[in-house]
Amino acid sequence: MTTKTTQTVDAAAAGTWTLGDRTVNRLGFGAMRLTGSAAFDLGSSRDREQSIRVLRRAVELGVDHIDTAAFYFSRLRSANELINRALAPYPDELTIVTKVGPGRDASGAWLPWATPGQLRGQVEENLRQLGRDHLDVVNLRLNGPGPLSDHFGALAELREAGLIRHLGLSNIGPEHLAEAQAIAPVVCVQNRYGLASRPDRSGDLLRICGEQGIAFVPFFAIAGEGREGGAAPDGAGDDDAVLAVARAHGATPAQVRLAWTLGQGGHVLAIPGTGNPDHLAENVAAGALRLTADEMALLDAVR
């Protein structure tokens, strides 16, 4: 069951927000699942041409904010290289956001969290794979509770050198945001947050970002606790409230989850990812879905 306007809705229907000097539609695209059916799975790879078609179709549908990383790869596919192949030369209005800190070796095994001195190499790897001379936004993804000043300071130096345009943070607490802001401006925060996946510190950050005009970008907004394994088949295991709201709007449960996410504030961006062209169109159409105050309250109770 899908919205009747799936094929005609443009990402602009979700409204816009700013990432520094970049204005983007609030409904974006996450590249993690372009490489395989499950994130970080080296055992299978998606069809290359289909992934390229999905990326090009996303841009045709008004998506101008793509989230990616050099460590998004399967045995035969790299998200960054797919983006390069599909979209270069890049439209001026397209904003590509990547992240550094984590890394994987050629076998797919996770490496220790990067040292401040290794971050330049990670930034340069993203530049090389994407075929760019600068990165629009780079998120420092934390891997623990410790201070981030040395790491964020290293990225701030790369920003001053012109390799990075804007800086963001991922997987953080409120104390990390304050620490980073003392070093350089932060344009976005990317944390796990969804209808049935709301860690306390992410809720605090949602509010703080709204107060400070910083974009809050939830990941796994559809998959929830399924996370890297991907979302369950649409409707499978969904709460009765989600299913009821979906029926009322002639929408899918996934669309309702995205609409709820966007309904958390004008500063909230959504970056659902998929390798399926039909799911892409449904995700973009969710940007036009407006839930009532009563529906939002009903969904707020879902845990």
Side-chain angles (χ1 to χ4, degrees):
M1 179 169 57
T2 61
T3 58
K4 296 177 181 178
T5 55
T6 293
Q7 297 303 320
T8 58
V9 174
D10 187 278
T16 62
W17 194 254
T18 56
L19 296 172
D21 63 348
R22 310 285 292 178
T23 298
V24 298
N25 292 326
R26 294 175 59 218
L27 199 298
F29 181 83
M32 185 170 65
R33 300 195 190 284
L34 283 176
T35 64
S37 57
F40 315 128
D41 178 12
L42 290 186
S44 63
S45 296
R46 287 197 185 275
D47 179 79
R48 175 181 173 83
E49 293 307 313
Q50 177 171 305
S51 293
I52 289 171
R53 287 196 301 272
V54 165
L55 282 162
R56 291 174 175 166
R57 182 58 178 155
V59 172
E60 290 172 356
L61 290 172
V63 169
D64 55 10
H65 165 212
I66 295 178
D67 178 83
T68 187
F71 54 84
Y72 290 172
F73 64 86
S74 63
R75 192 178 304 279
L76 299 176
R77 305 283 179 264
S78 155
N80 280 352
E81 291 172 351
L82 286 168
I83 291 168
N84 188 346
R85 174 67 181 85
L87 302 178
Y90 299 105
D92 291 341
E93 64 274 14
L94 180 64
T95 296
I96 298 177
V97 180
T98 188
K99 62 190 71 65
V100 296
R104 299 163 70 201
D105 65 21
S107 71
W110 288 101
L111 299 168
W113 195 47
T115 66
Q118 291 172 328
L119 291 179
R120 183 183 184 107
Q122 291 192 343
V123 166
E124 290 175 345
E125 180 65 14
N126 278 280
L127 289 168
R128 183 163 48 250
Q129 292 178 359
L130 290 166
R132 306 198 74 174
D133 58 9
H134 75 278
L135 299 173
D136 296 321
V137 182
V138 172
N139 288 322
L140 173 64
R141 180 173 172 81
L142 263 65
N143 190 35
L148 56 70
S149 55
D150 289 345
H151 289 77
F152 200 73
L155 292 180
E157 291 178 2
L158 297 178
R159 175 176 171 267
E160 290 297 320
L163 295 184
I164 300 171
R165 197 164 187 168
H166 301 293
L167 297 174
L169 296 166
S170 178
N171 198 39
I172 66 163
E175 70 280 7
H176 299 121
L177 176 57
E179 185 181 354
Q181 286 175 309
I183 299 169
V186 175
V187 302
C188 59
V189 170
Q190 195 179 90
N191 267 37
R192 178 164 61 91
Y193 193 80
L195 188 56
S197 180
R198 285 171 268 175
D200 289 340
R201 68 177 187 171
S202 288
D204 292 339
L205 280 165
L206 171 66
R207 172 183 55 80
I208 293 168
C209 286
E211 293 170 350
Q212 298 185 14
I214 297 169
F216 184 78
V217 190
F219 54 82
F220 302 137
I222 296 178
E225 297 299 336
R227 303 194 294 191
E228 288 91 343
D234 208 25
D238 255 308
D239 188 275
D240 287 345
V242 177
L243 296 174
V245 174
R247 285 193 296 270
H249 287 272
T252 69
Q255 288 174 318
V256 169
R257 288 175 176 272
L258 286 172
W260 179 89
T261 297
L262 292 170
Q264 299 308 299
H267 67 298
V268 178
L269 311 183
I271 49 170
T274 182
N276 183 307
D278 293 334
H279 289 168
L280 168 69
E282 291 175 2
N283 290 344
V284 171
L289 180 58
R290 301 292 185 263
L291 305 180
T292 68
D294 287 345
E295 288 170 336
M296 289 293 290
L298 180 66
L299 294 171
D300 285 343
V302 175
R303 293 286 179 176

